[in-house]
């Protein structure tokens, strides 16, 4: 049944492509496949500008690029503050905000833990408890000192490390959308490895449909779809962002170790959730929230979301059941 629906969705997408003169550009950036589709005004220059900006953000915020602002901050931990670009400063400031309101469930200083486990790399493994404890002791967003005038960032304890993997892709998606809108694009879809932004409405005025991955099945098999109906807001944009256990993980002795950590335990977060999808207006916030809510779990996560207007969520549990917030337009297959 699910396979048939996936097929129908794929065929409808193909038909849509024929009728709307769709053009897409797909490139690998930010550690993921980025697909930008401009349904109107699809000029090369706009695509070029978007991908240039994505690479600029990667060059500034990646922990894998030694010259990035974030790598320079990490190398200077416990030594000195580092001057950074304004966008990097702003993303770190916002990351601290989400760390505070989530009580550290989302914490951008999770870097030592991410490198220790190495999930997604050739060195992934279950580390010894003593090393996990050492890494956990280095995680504390309060030890990120920001100087707004100088635009400098200082990690006050040696060994600390920032990792913006749970927020920077969202920021990048917002930036890509802004470039498209400023260039006069009225309808577009931006998908940065699961951080989706929709701009405008479809030509046939039907709602946008975004599939939610079935965590247990092969990529592209969906558990249900979120329907997005454009409002009067202009320019209309909506973002759909998912954090889940199925993208980066390894298995050992029948146990799955995935990439979203509970900073309080140093282990991947296990609380019955397989994925959390956030639907809202700002992709950076949605990215941080999807990770925060995933770690907080259903009850606390839901409570946190109540303070965010126009923000909906879909929670998928390990028995493949799903719950949603009141106004999420989710169709479960
Ligand atoms: P999210 O839930 O949004 O984020 C999970 C990621 O955030 C984890 O992978 C980890 O990095 C971090 N994290 C884990 N737990 C927490 C927590 N509790 N609080 C805060 N953060 C947490 N991947 C590559 O393989 N190679 C690359 O070179 C590479 N470069 C990248 C450069 C940039 C600028 C960005 C933004 C990402 C890059 N990535 C790269 C991908 C990155 O490593 C993450 O895997 C990815 O961002 C995870 O996004 P997500 O939406 O799947 O999960
Ligand atoms: Mg995230």
């Amino acid at each position: 049944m699910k396979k048939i629906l996936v097929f129908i969705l794929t065929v409808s997408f193909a038909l849509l492509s024929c009728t709307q003169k769709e053009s897409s550009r797909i490139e690998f950036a930010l550690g993921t496949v980025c697909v930008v589709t401009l349904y109107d005004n699809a000029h090369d220059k706009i695509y070029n500008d978007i991908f240039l900006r994505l690479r600029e953000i990667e060059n500034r915020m990646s922990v894998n690029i030694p010259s990035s602002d974030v790598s320079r901050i990490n190398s200077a931990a416990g030594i000195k503050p580092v001057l950074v670009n304004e966008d990097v400063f702003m993303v770190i400031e916002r990351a601290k905000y989400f760390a505070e309101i989530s009580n550290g469930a989302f914490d951008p200083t999770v870097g030592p833990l991410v490198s220790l486990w190495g999930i997604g790399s050739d060195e992934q493994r279950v580390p010894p408890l003593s090393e996990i404890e050492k890494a956990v002791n280095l995680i504390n967003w309060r030890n990120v000192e920001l100087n707004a005038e100088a635009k400098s960032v200082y990690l006050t304890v040696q060994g600390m490390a920032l990792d913006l993997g749970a927020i920077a892709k969202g920021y990048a998606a917002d930036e890509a959308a802004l470039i498209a809108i400023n260039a006069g694009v009225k309808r577009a879809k931006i998908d940065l490895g699961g951080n989706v932004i929709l701009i405008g409405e479809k030509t046939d005025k039907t709602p946008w449909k975004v599939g939610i991955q079935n965590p247990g099945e092969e990529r592209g098999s969906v558990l249900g779809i979120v329907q997005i109906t454009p409002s009067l807001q202009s320019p209309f944009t909506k973002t759909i962002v998912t954090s889940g256990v199925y993208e980066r993980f390894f298995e050992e002795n029948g146990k799955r170790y995935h990439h979203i950590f509970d900073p309080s335990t140093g282990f991947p977060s296990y609380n019955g959730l397989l994925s959390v999808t956030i639907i809202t207006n700002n992709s950076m916030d949605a990215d941080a929230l999807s990770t925060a809510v995933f770690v907080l779990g259903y009850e606390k996560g839901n409570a946190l979301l109540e303070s965010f207007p126009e923000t909906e969520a879909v929670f998928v549990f390990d028995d493949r059941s799903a719950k949603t917030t009141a106004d999420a337009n989710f169709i479960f297959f």
Side-chain angles (χ1 to χ4, degrees), residues 248-284:
R248 283 174 188 241
F249 65 87
F250 67 95
E251 282 173 341
E252 203 175 284
N253 300 326
K255 193 161 171 65
R256 177 174 289 204
Y257 298 94
H258 63 79
H259 70 135
I260 306 172
F261 295 103
D262 181 342
S264 67
T265 64
F267 278 80
S269 166
Y270 300 112
N271 52 26
L273 282 171
L274 291 185
S275 74
V276 172
T277 299
I278 303 288
I279 304 136
T280 187
N281 302 324
N282 178 291
S283 205
M284 171 167 62

Side-chain angles (χ1 to χ4, degrees), residues 43 98 125-126 150 182 228 242 305:
H43 300 300
F98 280 103
R125 53 157 193 162
V126 180
N182 287 343
I228 306 287
T242 301
L305 290 175

Side-chain angles (χ1 to χ4, degrees), residues 166 243 287-288 290-291:
S243 281
D287 195 1
S290 69
T291 310

Side-chain angles (χ1 to χ4, degrees), residues 4-263:
I4 295 170
L5 283 161
V6 173
F7 175 74
I8 293 169
L9 278 178
T10 313
V11 171
S12 340
F13 187 70
L15 289 174
L16 203 75
S17 313
C18 299
T19 53
Q20 292 190 339
K21 288 201 192 70
E22 174 188 329
S23 80
S24 291
R25 189 179 288 184
I26 305 175
E27 287 185 21
F28 195 80
L30 302 156
T32 193
V33 179
C34 301
V35 187
V36 176
T37 307
L38 308 177
Y39 293 99
D40 65 339
N41 225 354
H43 300 300
D44 275 357
K45 172 157 186 346
I46 307 176
Y47 281 115
N48 292 344
D49 288 350
I50 288 173
F51 280 97
L52 265 176
R53 180 69 179 125
L54 295 184
R55 292 193 193 290
E56 182 172 65
I57 292 169
E58 179 170 7
N59 286 332
R60 291 177 181 175
M61 301 190 194
S62 172
V63 287
N64 300 314
I65 298 174
S67 59
S68 76
D69 289 14
V70 169
S71 295
R72 291 188 301 109
I73 295 168
N74 291 347
S75 306
I79 304 170
K80 58 172 191 212
V82 170
L83 297 180
V84 297
N85 283 286
E86 211 158 315
D87 49 5
V88 178
F89 189 88
M90 195 272 287
V91 172
I92 296 172
E93 202 172 31
R94 198 70 181 150
K96 275 190 80 174
Y97 166 75
F98 280 103
E100 182 170 11
I101 62 161
S102 69
N103 221 352
F106 169 97
D107 193 320
T109 65
V110 77
L113 207 53
V114 175
S115 351
L116 182 65
W117 283 80
I119 293 176
S121 75
D122 295 340
E123 278 113 50
Q124 55 191 14
R125 53 157 193 162
V126 180
L129 278 178
S130 58
E131 288 184 40
I132 292 179
E133 204 177 308
K134 244 192 341 208
V136 166
N137 287 335
L138 287 168
I139 301 174
N140 190 345
W141 58 273
R142 290 183 183 82
N143 293 334
V144 182
E145 277 184 13
L146 299 180
N147 182 327
E149 252 165 57
K151 291 281 176 299
S152 70
V153 182
Y154 179 41
L155 307 181
T156 62
V157 180
Q158 203 157 12
M160 277 181 77
L162 288 174
D163 181 317
L164 301 180
I167 188 168
K169 242 176 2 169
Y171 173 71
D174 287 329
E175 286 289 288
L178 202 62
I179 291 170
I181 290 167
N182 287 343
V185 172
K186 298 278 186 294
R187 268 197 313 280
K189 180 174 174 185
I190 290 156
D191 183 348
L192 310 185
N195 265 79
V196 176
I197 296 192
L198 303 168
I199 301 171
E201 60 182 347
K202 285 169 56 188
T203 33
D204 62 4
K205 314 276 186 215
T206 58
W208 292 97
K209 295 180 178 65
V210 179
I212 302 233
Q213 170 73 32
N214 186 337
E217 311 237 342
E218 74 263 34
R219 187 178 281 205
S221 166
V222 293
L223 191 75
I225 50 168
V226 174
Q227 291 206 92
I228 306 287
T229 312
S231 65
L232 291 174
Q233 171 205 335
S234 179
F236 169 80
T237 62
K238 212 66 177 176
T239 186
I240 300 100
V241 178
T242 301
S243 281
V245 301
Y246 50 84
E247 280 292 334
R248 283 174 188 241
F249 65 87
F250 67 95
E251 282 173 341
E252 203 175 284
N253 300 326
K255 193 161 171 65
R256 177 174 289 204
Y257 298 94
H258 63 79
H259 70 135
I260 306 172
F261 295 103
D262 181 342

